[in-house]
Structure formats: structure tokens, C-alpha cells
Amino acid sequence: MCSAVTRAAERAPAETATPKRPFEYVVWFAGFVVLFAWTYFFGLHLGWSSADYLRGLLQGSDMAHGNILLNHWYSGDDSYWAIDSVLFAFGVLAVGTKVILAHVVAAFVWTSLIVIACAVATTGLRRWSSVASIVTIVVILGLPCVLLARFLSASDVHVATTLVALLAFLGLREGRLGWGWFAAVVLLAAGLLSDPLIIAYALAPAFVVGVLDSVRSRKWQNGLSTASAPVASLALAVLTRKVAEQFGTYRISFGTQLVSPSGRLHNVHILFPSVLSLLGFGSTFSANRIPWELGVFRSFGVLALGAGFIVGLACLLLGVLSGQPRTNVQGMTTRSRSSYRLNDLLVLGVLGSAVPFVALSYDATDLRYLTTGIVFSSILGAMLIGHLVKLVKDLRFRYVGRAVAIIVLSANAACAGIYLSRPAPVSPFPRLSAFLVSHNLVRGLGDYWTSAPVTLYSNEKVTVRQVLPTFGGGIAPYLNGAKDTWYVGRFQFLVYDVRQFEGQLIRYAPRFPFAAVAHSYREGTFRIIVWRQPQNMAALSKN
């Protein structure tokens, strides 16, 4: 019987997607608009004016003004050149360099991530089973706890890279050469040129899935298209980088540092608690200040992610070990091959996403490395729930399931509503920018966390460039997400934030304040040192 099923599956024609009716496109578009309005409003209540989140806007602005290859820029391994910065460039071309673009682009990426996650999760599903999968995605990714929302609502923190990986997975779902394969190669290459972490949770999983397809079918040709996509994307990325270097492009000023072996062991121990924190439990349960009667409904996300990953992993292993086409695994006789292939890509992507957290995580801010794994796991959970609903034929169970879905959705929406009812955080940078403009201080230097926000919040009426102390006691350009041509000419003042470590480094540098001072001001937690004469970088670094 099994051999007959296998032969029938091998003879089966390639799957074709069911054409969507115009009404379905209207529904998806309306859903996107509603989700965008929601994520935009949600993001206004989160701290998104960090320099880490704004540097992409400065890069995008430079690209929009003609420096497409980012010549003279310096960056770390994660330049975000071909993804986030491109989105910012289009935004700048449309409305100009405005700080609100940082939030608009982040909301667009977050919304797109939810919509594409729904598209992946509903592969092969129709009607109520599709609705069940979509509700699961919306609960976990559209109504997240505050900690996870902070990462989903920010740019230049791997969220857009996760979106690109999902789009590439959709291109590879058929397991054959074609336009989908070509699109996946281009997307993966763009990801490589922007964020090398995509190797762990997209390129490596795609290669392994291709190998497993060959092992499962006992024919090496069957997995060739999937396994070749990451190889081709790697070649395309290397070629693009080499060509760009001939014309002048950004330089990588430093590489990512691995944590110590003891640190990696520690990260393995805190991996599961960290995931729980991102889902609203553990240390973040009481910090969210949500009534426990409502907060307990966030356990739906934990259960969905856990069950989705475990069942998805079992499905992958059973398919490899049995060599069957998996038409009857889990009793899901109508599940498509595309759905199974996406399952395998997502499972391996989840495992791959844990690697950067274990190898690179130094503090709580590095929880962002786990965001991709949570997105992929939420899709696996949504796929599982959708296919289980598809198996339920008894109307009574269906009515109970719909009631549970409404309760869970309402409770998680109430949790988000309670958070949004609180006052939105107020950024200190508009006031600082206004102070500098009023004192005719338009060109200065500052610590990393102050420089980009002041520049953008002032609509570039004030330009502040980031610096760090030198070994000789002076200050020099900090070329991380910065452009070396910024430091030509003279500077009037120095501004730093006493709350930030980088600000303290400047304040306690041996040669501080680096030149004769005319005025010294305080503006909140910021200190402004105005030099008697404008200074150039050569003089400041030699002091």
C-alpha cells in the first residue's frame, strides 16, 4: 500500500496554485490597510527613536540623493544596504528625509511580515481552516507583548530580513526551477548583502531541505532546485559585492564578535526562558502590568509555537526516515507538497535562528536574534491549527473552536489595548534640536546615541556626527553606520548624553573638553560644550 502511494505521488503532476478571485485580492488589500494602521498606531507607543533604528534612514536618504552604492560609508557586517535602506530611499524620494519615515517603514515591514506569514500558513487551506491560521498569526504577531513588539516595530533589527526569507521560501515551495526559484535567488542574495544572519535561518535551511528532498525520494534530482538556490544566491551576492567595490561602495569597519564558550553555554541555558519573555511570560509577565486574568491568554501563543514546531519537526523526520511522500503523515491526507516543503524550511529556519542568539548574544537587547524563530514558529503553529480545523467535520466542535478563537483574540486585543491606553513615550530629541537651533549651533559632534536622532529630529537643520575617545585622549570619528565625508570641515560644539555609556566615555576622556570652551549648557540629560573657536577633527584627535 505504501509503495503504491509513493508511486502515485511520484507520478502526480506538479501542483498549481488555485487562482484567486478579485474579491480575495480586495480582502487581502483591506486587511493590509487595517493592519498597517494598527501597527503604525502601536509603534507610536514604543521607543523607536534609537540611533540603531534611525541610521538606516540616513543611509536611505543618501541613496535617494544619488549615492546608491553608499560610497564612503562604513558599516558592520549587517549593513542592511539592499533591504531596509532601499525602503528608506523610496520613502525619502516620496516625502523627503523626515524622522517619521523610520516609523512608517517599520510599520510597513511589520504589516508585510504578518500578511506574508498568513500567506505561508494558509498554503493549501481554504475557508474556515484558512481563517483559523490567519487568526493564529494575528494573535501572536499582530497583538504581541510589548517586548516582542519593540523588535517587530523597529527597522535595521533583522525584521525585514525575516520578511525576505519568507518571500524566498514561498518562491521555493514548488521545489522546481522557474520564476519562483529565480525570485528566491535574488531575494536571498539581497539578504546576504544586507544581513549575513540570513545564512543561518534561510540559506542553510534551503540547502538542507533540498538534500532531504533527494534523500526522501531516493532521487538526487528531486532536491536539486531547492538546494541550488542558496548556492546561486551566494554567488550572485559575491559578484554584486565585487562589482560594487569597483565603483565605490560601503566598507565593513568591523566584524561580529562571538561570545566566549562559557557565554554560549549560558545562552543555551537561557534560550527557552528568553523565548517565553518575548511571548509575555517569565520576567516580562509582571513588567507588562497586564491583569493576569487577561495575560494568561497569551499562553495560546506559547502552546501554538511549541506544538507547531514539535509537530513540524516530527513531520520532517518521519518523511526522511520513511521515504514516503507524506500524504498520510498526521492523517492530513489532503495536505499539499508545497505545504510540507514550507514546513521543512520553517522548522530548519527555527533551529537556525537559535544559532545567532547562542553565538552572538551579550545582553538583553540581543533577544532580537530570536524574533525570526518566533515568526517561523508562529507560522508552523498556524499551519498545524489550520490543518486540524480542516480535519474536524463535527459542527459542534467547529462552533466550540470558533468561540475559543473569539475569546483568545479578544483577550489578546484587550492586553494590547491596556498598553496603548497608557501615555506614549516622549522623545527628548525634538526639544534638544530646538535648543541647538535657537542658539545657532548647527554643526557639531556627539555620542553615538545622540548624533543621528538630533540630525533627523531637526530635519537636518542641525548635523551632529558621532565620535568616540581615542587612545591618546582626544576624540575621533566613530565609523559605524557613518560616512567619512561627514567629518570634513569644522565643528562648533560637542553634545553627549550623561545616561549613555558612550556619553560617559566622552565626558571622562583624559583631554575633555578637547578645546577651549566658550559656553556649557544643560538640556535635560544632555550636556552641550560650545568651543571658543570651531574645531576640525585633526585638532580634536591630536589633543
Side-chain angles (χ1 to χ4, degrees):
M1 180 64 181
C2 291
S3 60
V5 171
T6 304
R7 289 194 300 272
E10 291 175 349
R11 292 194 302 268
E15 297 173 19
T16 57
T18 304
K20 291 185 180 294
R21 294 170 292 180
F23 175 73
E24 292 184 66
Y25 287 110
V26 172
V27 170
W28 280 95
F29 178 75
F32 185 93
V33 172
V34 171
L35 278 171
F36 177 79
W38 166 251
T39 56
Y40 180 86
F41 180 66
F42 202 156
L44 289 177
H45 285 69
L46 300 167
W48 53 273
S49 59
S50 165
D52 279 345
Y53 305 158
L54 294 177
R55 67 168 183 164
L57 179 52
L58 291 173
Q59 290 184 179
S61 178
D62 204 21
M63 292 176 70
H65 288 92
N67 189 12
I68 297 176
L69 299 181
L70 293 181
N71 194 20
H72 295 290
W73 279 82
Y74 286 77
S75 176
D77 293 330
D78 49 352
S79 67
Y80 302 104
W81 168 45
I83 304 177
D84 299 72
S85 295
V86 171
L87 295 175
F88 282 124
F90 280 113
V92 170
L93 288 172
V95 300
T97 307
K98 301 182 183 300
V99 70
I100 195 64
L101 269 179
H103 182 46
V104 171
V105 169
F108 174 80
V109 171
W110 185 3
T111 304
S112 301
L113 185 68
I114 295 173
V115 171
I116 298 303
C118 290
V120 174
T122 56
T123 300
L125 299 177
R126 302 286 296 175
R127 302 190 62 176
W128 288 111
S129 55
S130 177
V131 171
S133 292
I134 291 173
V135 169
T136 303
I137 295 294
V138 169
V139 167
I140 300 173
L141 301 182
L143 300 169
C145 80
V146 176
L147 182 57
L148 179 58
R150 290 189 190 282
F151 297 129
L152 291 174
S153 66
S155 55
D156 286 4
V157 288
H158 319 294
V159 179
T161 313
T162 304
L163 172 62
V164 166
L166 282 179
L167 289 170
F169 288 172
L170 280 175
L172 297 175
R173 70 185 184 277
E174 300 293 343
R176 64 188 183 197
L177 297 175
W179 286 110
W181 180 90
F182 178 77
V185 169
V186 173
L187 287 166
L188 292 175
L192 270 172
L193 290 167
S194 304
D195 183 4
L197 294 188
I198 199 172
I199 296 174
Y201 51 76
L203 272 78
F207 181 80
V208 174
V209 166
V211 173
L212 293 180
D213 278 345
S214 298
V215 172
R216 183 180 300 112
S217 63
R218 309 304 191 251
K219 291 184 178 180
W220 66 269
Q221 301 94 327
N222 288 2
L224 182 61
S225 62
T226 306
S228 64
V231 177
S233 67
L234 179 60
L236 178 60
V238 171
L239 177 62
T240 302
R241 176 68 181 172
K242 292 297 183 182
V243 171
E245 287 175 346
Q246 300 304 311
F247 291 93
T249 187
Y250 65 92
R251 298 181 182 180
I252 297 176
S253 55
F254 64 92
T256 303
Q257 299 294 320
L258 298 177
V259 300
S260 63
S262 61
R264 275 173 262 168
L265 184 60
H266 171 73
N267 290 340
V268 171
H269 289 160
I270 66 171
L271 179 60
F272 183 66
S274 298
V275 171
L276 289 180
S277 295
L278 286 170
L279 294 174
F281 286 89
S283 59
T284 60
F285 188 83
S286 57
N288 290 332
R289 293 182 291 168
I290 301 294
W292 70 268
E293 296 89 348
L294 288 175
V296 72
F297 283 95
R298 291 201 183 277
S299 59
F300 169 79
V302 178
L303 295 174
L305 264 67
F309 175 71
I310 292 172
V311 173
L313 179 61
C315 181
L316 183 153
L317 295 175
L318 285 172
V320 174
L321 296 175
S322 66
Q324 297 181 24
R326 298 186 296 186
T327 54
N328 59 346
V329 174
Q330 305 166 8
M332 301 175 186
T333 56
T334 59
R335 188 166 180 177
S336 65
R337 285 176 292 177
S338 295
S339 177
Y340 278 121
R341 189 169 288 106
L342 287 170
N343 172 90
D344 295 351
L345 289 166
L346 291 167
V347 167
L348 294 174
V350 172
L351 295 174
S353 68
V355 174
F357 177 78
V358 172
L360 306 175
S361 180
Y362 283 91
D363 54 42
T365 61
D366 291 331
L367 287 176
R368 67 185 187 276
Y369 292 134
L370 296 174
T371 304
T372 301
I374 287 180
V375 172
F376 289 177
S377 294
S378 68
I379 299 173
L380 289 169
M383 293 171 74
L384 174 63
I385 290 174
H387 284 287
L388 289 176
V389 169
K390 194 175 182 179
L391 293 174
V392 176
K393 304 300 181 184
D394 193 315
L395 288 178
R396 292 172 296 179
F397 288 108
R398 289 197 171 192
Y399 290 144
V400 171
R402 292 169 193 172
V404 171
I406 292 173
I407 293 172
V408 170
L409 183 61
S410 301
N412 281 271
C415 291
I418 291 173
Y419 175 76
L420 295 180
S421 66
R422 299 165 186 161
V426 178
S427 173
F429 296 111
R431 184 172 176 176
L432 175 60
S433 301
F435 177 89
L436 294 172
V437 170
S438 67
H439 287 74
N440 199 30
L441 299 173
V442 296
R443 197 159 196 265
L445 302 170
D447 66 83
Y448 174 81
W449 300 105
T450 304
S451 302
V454 169
T455 302
L456 290 168
Y457 272 94
S458 68
N459 292 321
E460 296 186 292
K461 293 178 182 178
V462 179
T463 57
V464 179
R465 304 311 185 189
Q466 59 202 41
V467 292
L468 275 179
T470 65
F471 289 111
I475 50 175
Y478 178 37
L479 294 176
N480 175 21
K483 192 177 181 183
D484 57 18
T485 56
W486 284 350
Y487 300 92
V488 177
R490 296 179 179 273
F491 301 90
Q492 301 168 279
F493 65 94
L494 172 70
V495 58
Y496 60 94
D497 188 347
V498 297
R499 299 172 304 172
Q500 300 292 345
F501 175 70
E502 287 78 2
Q504 293 293 330
L505 286 178
I506 292 174
R507 171 65 183 84
Y508 293 106
R511 303 295 177 84
F512 179 87
F514 313 110
V517 176
H519 302 285
S520 179
Y521 300 105
R522 292 188 177 189
E523 178 57 41
T525 61
F526 299 97
R527 303 293 181 265
I528 302 106
I529 303 297
V530 182
W531 291 305
R532 188 173 301 168
Q533 297 292 332
Q535 302 291 315
N536 59 37
M537 286 307 308
L540 293 171
S541 61
K542 288 180 180 179
N543 265 338

